[in-house]
């Protein structure tokens, strides 16, 4: 699939397929479509709205991810929401990323846009 194929997939709590995705569901599906198996982390939280649990899940499952300073295409961006590093997106280049956020479908946004520039917490690259 191309990045544009994900655009418009609706947000769905704990979603992991084309019928609906949460933010990690998008990362999971995106990487699987590239032939890279990443964990789905569904066992780590019951609701993506439980920001503390999602932040714990992200933090405790970093063993296959290497923190990097500057994003490259396919890197995972971690954003703070309400003080918790609990939202992720995928860097697609040229300052853009895709993500699924509660109340919206998968969309493209600017990494330096008003909504996200101050929320960017960390950038990770998958390494197994």
């Amino acid at each position: 699939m191309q990045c544009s194929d994900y655009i418009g997939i609706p947000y769905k709590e704990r979603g992991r397929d084309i019928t609906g995705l949460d933010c990690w569901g998008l990362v999971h599906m995106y990487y699987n479509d590239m032939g890279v198996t990443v964990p789905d982390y569904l066992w780590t939280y019951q609701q993506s709205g439980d920001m503390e649990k999602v932040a714990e899940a992200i933090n405790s499952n970093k063993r296959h991810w290497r923190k990097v300073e500057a994003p490259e295409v396919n890197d995972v961006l971690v954003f703070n929401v309400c003080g918790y590093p609990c939202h992720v997106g995928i860097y697609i280049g040229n300052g853009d990323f895709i993500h699924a956020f509660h109340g919206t479908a998968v969309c493209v946004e600017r990494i330096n846009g008003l909504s996200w520039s101050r929320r960017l917490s960390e950038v990770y690259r998958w390494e197994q």
Side-chain angles (χ1 to χ4, degrees), residues 18-126:
I18 60 169
T19 65
L21 300 166
D22 65 10
C23 66
W24 187 260
L26 173 62
V27 171
H28 181 259
M29 185 173 163
Y30 182 90
Y31 271 81
N32 282 345
D33 288 346
M34 289 192 315
V36 178
T37 302
V38 299
D40 68 16
Y41 300 135
L42 281 174
W43 71 91
T44 59
Y45 62 92
Q46 292 301 311
Q47 295 181 336
S48 57
D50 186 348
M51 294 177 203
E52 187 173 359
K53 288 281 189 199
V54 173
E56 287 174 17
I58 290 170
N59 194 45
S60 66
N61 290 292
K62 291 181 179 175
R63 66 185 171 275
H64 297 296
W65 299 92
R66 179 172 54 96
K67 187 175 179 180
V68 295
E69 292 301 314
E72 293 180 7
V73 173
N74 302 326
D75 286 348
V76 173
L77 310 172
V78 179
F79 296 94
N80 287 319
V81 176
C82 297
Y84 294 101
C86 63
H87 181 62
V88 294
I90 303 163
Y91 187 70
I92 59 172
N94 298 320
D96 294 331
F97 71 100
I98 60 173
H99 69 127
F101 198 67
H102 183 72
T104 67
V106 175
C107 63
V108 176
E109 298 221 41
R110 299 288 300 163
I111 199 169
N112 63 357
L114 291 175
S115 296
W116 300 105
S117 63
R118 290 181 278 150
R119 293 181 179 190
L120 182 61
S121 171
E122 299 170 314
V123 179
Y124 288 92
R125 190 163 297 142
W126 177 257

